[in-house]
Short mmCIF file of all heavy atoms in Angstrom, two decimals:
data_model
loop_
_atom_site.label_atom_id
_atom_site.label_comp_id
_atom_site.label_asym_id
_atom_site.label_seq_id
_atom_site.Cartn_x
_atom_site.Cartn_y
_atom_site.Cartn_z
N VAL C 12 -19.41 -1.36 5.02
CA VAL C 12 -19.71 -0.19 5.86
C VAL C 12 -20.84 0.59 5.20
O VAL C 12 -20.75 0.93 4.02
CB VAL C 12 -18.47 0.71 6.04
CG1 VAL C 12 -18.84 1.97 6.81
CG2 VAL C 12 -17.35 -0.04 6.74
N LEU C 59 -27.66 21.14 1.61
CA LEU C 59 -27.19 20.28 0.52
C LEU C 59 -28.09 19.06 0.39
O LEU C 59 -28.25 18.29 1.34
CB LEU C 59 -25.75 19.83 0.78
CG LEU C 59 -25.15 18.89 -0.25
CD1 LEU C 59 -25.00 19.59 -1.60
CD2 LEU C 59 -23.78 18.36 0.22
N CYS C 81 -26.39 14.86 14.04
CA CYS C 81 -27.65 15.52 13.70
C CYS C 81 -27.59 16.97 14.14
O CYS C 81 -26.96 17.31 15.14
CB CYS C 81 -28.84 14.82 14.34
SG CYS C 81 -28.77 14.71 16.15
N PRO C 89 -35.50 10.11 12.93
CA PRO C 89 -36.47 9.39 12.10
C PRO C 89 -36.74 7.98 12.63
O PRO C 89 -35.81 7.23 12.93
CB PRO C 89 -35.78 9.34 10.74
CG PRO C 89 -34.83 10.48 10.74
CD PRO C 89 -34.35 10.60 12.15
N ASP C 94 -35.41 2.22 13.92
CA ASP C 94 -35.75 0.80 13.80
C ASP C 94 -34.65 0.03 13.08
O ASP C 94 -34.30 -1.09 13.47
CB ASP C 94 -37.07 0.64 13.05
CG ASP C 94 -38.27 1.13 13.85
OD1 ASP C 94 -38.13 1.27 15.09
OD2 ASP C 94 -39.33 1.38 13.23
N VAL C 115 -29.21 9.18 18.06
CA VAL C 115 -29.91 8.16 17.28
C VAL C 115 -29.70 6.79 17.89
O VAL C 115 -30.64 6.00 18.07
CB VAL C 115 -29.44 8.18 15.81
CG1 VAL C 115 -30.13 7.06 15.01
CG2 VAL C 115 -29.71 9.54 15.17
N ALA C 118 -31.69 6.53 21.06
CA ALA C 118 -33.12 6.35 20.80
C ALA C 118 -33.43 4.91 20.43
O ALA C 118 -34.51 4.39 20.74
CB ALA C 118 -33.57 7.29 19.69
N ARG C 251 1.02 22.82 32.14
CA ARG C 251 0.80 23.52 30.88
C ARG C 251 0.63 22.55 29.71
O ARG C 251 -0.16 22.78 28.80
CB ARG C 251 1.95 24.50 30.64
CG ARG C 251 2.07 25.53 31.76
CD ARG C 251 3.20 26.49 31.55
NE ARG C 251 2.88 27.51 30.56
CZ ARG C 251 3.67 28.56 30.30
NH1 ARG C 251 4.81 28.71 30.95
NH2 ARG C 251 3.32 29.45 29.40
N THR C 290 11.80 1.15 21.47
CA THR C 290 10.70 2.00 21.94
C THR C 290 10.91 2.52 23.36
O THR C 290 10.00 3.13 23.93
CB THR C 290 9.37 1.22 21.88
OG1 THR C 290 9.48 0.03 22.68
CG2 THR C 290 9.01 0.85 20.47
N ALA C 296 9.68 -8.08 28.72
CA ALA C 296 8.61 -8.29 29.71
C ALA C 296 7.83 -7.00 29.95
O ALA C 296 6.60 -7.02 30.06
CB ALA C 296 9.21 -8.79 31.01
#
Side-chain angles (χ1 to χ4, degrees):
V12 175
L59 178 66
C81 58
D94 290 342
V115 177
R251 300 179 77 173
T290 57

